[in-house]
Amino acid sequence: MTDAARGGFPDLQPVTPPPGFARFLTAMRRAQDLAVSAAPDAATWDDAADQVERLVELLAPFEADEGVGPANRAPSLPGTGSLLMPPYRIISFTDAGVELQVEFSRFSVGGNRAVHGGVLPLLFDSVFGMVIHATGRPISRTAFLHVDYRNVTPIDTVLTAKGWLREAQGRKAFVNAELLGPDGTVLAEANGLMIRLLPGQP
């Protein structure tokens, strides 16, 4: 991809992370779930805080610039290795659109074991970005994203997310997406506008 096509974005390349990072990611996802669901005694919270603080101390000397570490650059790992995203796996990535399998966990609950409504725009925004790449368009920023919630989105269930390019007009790309339950029920739908970056634009 040319510098002009990337706007002001760095040229981030996918990586194959060391096995330890995959283990770390799995453990951190479980820790996130426990952070919002565990109810131990005060002493156990103190012990947990001590261990997390030691982890921070261990990793802090290695903090690097964006795009240097494996997080968000590891296609072989769920969510491309990003703890920001729910763990997803890409099933299809073509110029006709993208399809993912995604499973939300306790960390994403808003209430009554249903996924928090604010989490779904995060997923859809990432799907929109994948559609831009899959269709060969230059890097774009989200101009707007609209979500319609059709049914409750459950946790601990393998769901399907699909996204496709509806229309392109110059720098503008109008994108659609949907999230489906195991039986094909539409859980949420989204549409948005992605704007191609200008050269040097962040």
Side-chain angles (χ1 to χ4, degrees):
M1 187 179 292
T2 66
D3 290 340
R6 288 196 305 270
F9 273 65
D11 185 13
L12 303 182
Q13 296 296 319
V15 298
T16 300
F21 180 70
R23 288 179 52 218
F24 174 80
L25 197 69
T26 299
M28 286 296 294
R29 289 193 189 283
R30 181 61 179 145
Q32 287 182 152
D33 287 337
L34 290 171
V36 300
S37 63
D41 55 34
T44 301
W45 279 128
D46 282 335
D47 289 344
D50 289 341
Q51 294 190 47
V52 172
E53 288 169 356
R54 284 196 292 272
L55 175 61
V56 170
E57 185 177 356
L58 173 67
L59 292 178
F62 303 99
E63 188 170 3
D65 290 336
E66 180 182 355
V68 175
N72 206 36
R73 296 200 300 138
S76 62
L77 298 180
T80 63
S82 171
L83 285 173
L84 177 66
M85 299 301 303
Y88 64 76
R89 291 198 178 276
I90 298 174
I91 304 302
S92 177
F93 190 89
T94 72
D95 57 6
V98 300
E99 180 176 336
L100 319 176
Q101 282 188 340
V102 59
E103 184 173 355
F104 296 95
S105 64
R106 184 68 181 271
F107 182 67
S108 296
V109 165
N112 291 337
R113 297 186 62 80
V115 174
H116 191 292
V119 175
L120 297 188
L122 173 65
L123 173 66
F124 283 133
D125 195 40
S126 290
V127 170
F128 287 177
M130 292 180 205
V131 169
I132 293 300
H133 289 297
T135 54
R137 292 184 60 82
I139 289 178
S140 302
R141 286 281 195 188
T142 308
F144 76 75
L145 189 160
H146 174 86
V147 178
D148 290 309
Y149 300 91
R150 303 301 187 190
N151 288 282
V152 170
T153 299
I155 63 168
D156 301 329
T157 304
V158 178
L159 310 173
T160 299
K162 297 181 179 181
W164 61 95
L165 179 66
R166 186 177 79 249
E167 182 182 0
Q169 299 175 359
R171 292 177 59 208
K172 298 179 180 180
F174 296 90
V175 186
N176 281 45
E178 60 184 6
L179 182 65
L180 307 174
D183 62 355
T185 298
V186 177
L187 305 176
E189 297 175 302
N191 64 83
L193 170 62
M194 306 292 285
I195 303 289
R196 175 178 58 82
L197 294 178
L198 297 173
Q201 189 174 9

